[in-house]
Amino acid sequence: MPVLAASSSPSNRSYSVAVGVILVFAALEILAIAIHFGAVYRAERVTLPPTKAPAPAASVKPGGTTTTPAPPQATAPSSAALSASDRLLKEANDLRERGDTANALARLQDASQRDPRNPQVLAEMAAIYESIQLYDRSNETWKKIQDLGPSAGSLYELADMKLRVGAAATPSPGVAMDTAGKPLDAEGLPEGSVFGVTNIETEQVSDPDAETNFRLKIGIKKRDGVAIDHSKLRIMVLFYDLLDNDKVVATDADVNYEWMNPKHDWGESNPETLIVTYLRSKTHAITSEAALSAAAAAVTPGKNSSRSKKRGESAGSTDSLDSARRQYLGYVIRILYDDKLQTVRAEPARLINDAPNPSVSP
């Protein structure tokens, strides 16, 4: 049986081969172009400079002059830094009370770096420097408080007095001084002062309705032979409580003061005696603002200058729960004449630095 075989002509096969070769070369050329441009693109990305934030535009003032924005100002200490400073101050006080002066000073230096305008930290540092007879550093630190101005409160006045007297003039142990470290002279008054405190007596008062009831008898002496202007004299007696066995706060107890001599002009007797009573009843109810007002005594010639809060009297809303968390801590007595601090007496002595500044002036 005959077999038919299909065959193609030689011309058709040559055409197919030619077309195939052309397609292969075209594909290779396209691949080469893609590789070339890919390499160029990667090289350009590597050499591009990093993108910077646009600079603030310069402002133009009338007249054609331009001004460049000022660099950002340094920010104030953060609240975290301030709280750390307070914590370090408390640790330093605890260490100082235990007699560990070196570590207390280290804590204070750390606190000062965090909050360089904290007068409490600076005052504590100055006191420690003085106690270890580094008088130059003590004076430098008191000067920092003085540079803060009246914003440092009572510590500004203390720093001013320290710098006027001079820490280097602090006498050796055994010489009488007031609580602020100012030496007493033969009259029992701080050197250079017109007024001083000669003695303080504490007398407990029997009162079954009171949680705490006592009175201070404060002998206030005028320097002999010195004429005075009563209008320039201020006497402040401020009491403080301990809240939750930790925080020093102005008292909210009932405070009364009166002069033993109704005239109290230092003409009939010298010293004159000021009697100040602290009363916290078991049913205590009084606001801190009213108590603080009553805690400041002001001398007025020819008057008894008695101011008091009656037991149970309230000047506003009360907080019996807050009162229950308080206990008596101590007092600070300051005498100023002609706006100059004459003397400071405090019990305990640490209240000079730890007590909050009074918000009410006498």
Side-chain angles (χ1 to χ4, degrees):
M1 181 176 181
V3 177
L4 298 177
S7 62
S8 58
S9 65
S11 60
N12 289 339
R13 284 196 299 273
S14 299
Y15 176 77
S16 298
V17 170
V19 170
V21 170
I22 292 171
L23 292 176
V24 169
F25 276 106
L28 291 174
E29 185 174 356
I30 292 172
L31 180 61
I33 292 172
I35 292 173
H36 170 74
F37 282 104
V40 171
Y41 175 72
R42 286 193 298 272
E44 288 179 350
R45 288 196 62 183
V46 170
T47 57
L48 281 176
T51 304
K52 294 183 179 179
S59 59
V60 180
K61 292 184 177 180
T65 60
T66 60
T67 58
T68 304
Q73 299 290 332
T75 57
S78 65
S79 58
L82 293 177
S83 61
S85 174
D86 293 339
R87 174 181 56 79
L88 289 166
L89 175 60
K90 185 178 184 304
E91 291 177 1
N93 287 333
D94 293 339
L95 288 167
R96 176 179 54 79
E97 291 178 357
R98 294 200 298 266
D100 191 351
T101 303
N103 283 319
L105 191 57
R107 296 288 198 286
L108 292 169
Q109 290 169 342
D110 190 2
S112 181
Q113 290 178 354
R114 296 170 183 267
D115 185 11
R117 296 179 61 83
N118 189 322
Q120 298 283 350
V121 172
L122 294 173
E124 192 68 23
M125 288 178 65
I128 291 180
Y129 281 138
E130 188 172 341
S131 69
I132 58 179
Q133 299 183 359
L134 294 177
Y135 300 124
D136 289 342
R137 290 193 178 183
S138 177
N139 287 332
E140 289 173 3
T141 310
W142 286 121
K143 183 63 169 62
K144 290 179 181 179
I145 298 176
Q146 189 182 54
D147 291 342
L148 294 177
S151 63
S154 59
L155 292 176
Y156 170 72
E157 299 171 347
L158 180 60
D160 182 67
M161 184 186 72
K162 284 284 189 178
L163 291 171
R164 281 190 290 110
V165 175
T170 301
S172 58
V175 176
M177 296 182 292
D178 68 3
T179 309
K182 196 172 183 180
L184 305 181
D185 58 20
E187 289 190 59
L189 305 181
E191 294 178 356
S193 297
V194 178
F195 285 91
V197 175
T198 57
N199 66 290
I200 302 173
E201 297 180 8
T202 304
E203 179 182 320
Q204 296 293 331
V205 179
S206 178
D207 187 346
D209 296 325
E211 179 181 313
T212 306
N213 190 349
F214 68 92
R215 62 172 63 101
L216 295 179
K217 292 183 178 180
I218 307 168
I220 301 174
K221 184 178 180 180
K222 179 186 75 70
R223 187 171 295 281
D224 292 336
V226 177
I228 61 171
D229 181 352
H230 294 84
S231 64
K232 296 181 179 180
L233 177 63
R234 286 197 302 161
I235 302 172
M236 301 178 66
V237 182
L238 301 173
F239 290 96
Y240 295 92
D241 299 330
L242 201 58
L243 181 63
D244 294 333
N245 294 317
D246 179 51
K247 186 178 180 181
V248 178
V249 294
T251 189
D252 64 349
D254 299 338
V255 176
N256 171 65
Y257 63 88
E258 61 181 337
W259 291 95
M260 183 173 290
N261 175 13
K263 198 172 181 181
H264 60 273
D265 60 356
W266 288 270
E268 299 176 356
S269 61
N270 189 20
E272 297 280 9
T273 301
L274 178 65
I275 302 174
V276 188
T277 303
Y278 175 103
L279 170 64
R280 179 180 295 282
S281 64
K282 293 180 180 178
T283 57
H284 173 76
I286 188 173
T287 63
S288 297
E289 182 179 357
L292 191 54
S293 298
V299 174
T300 305
K303 296 182 180 180
N304 196 31
S305 299
S306 177
R307 183 189 306 162
S308 64
K309 293 295 296 182
K310 296 180 181 179
R311 184 176 304 185
E313 179 182 352
S314 175
S317 61
T318 62
D319 189 351
S320 58
L321 180 60
D322 177 75
S323 179
R325 294 157 50 200
R326 292 171 176 255
Q327 59 180 339
Y328 171 75
L329 176 59
Y331 61 83
V332 177
I333 302 170
R334 290 186 177 89
I335 299 180
L336 297 94
Y337 183 73
D338 197 17
D339 292 328
K340 295 179 180 178
L341 187 66
Q342 302 293 297
T343 188
V344 178
R345 291 296 183 95
E347 178 60 40
R350 69 183 181 90
L351 280 176
I352 292 181
N353 294 333
D354 295 349
N357 294 327
S359 60
V360 180
S361 299

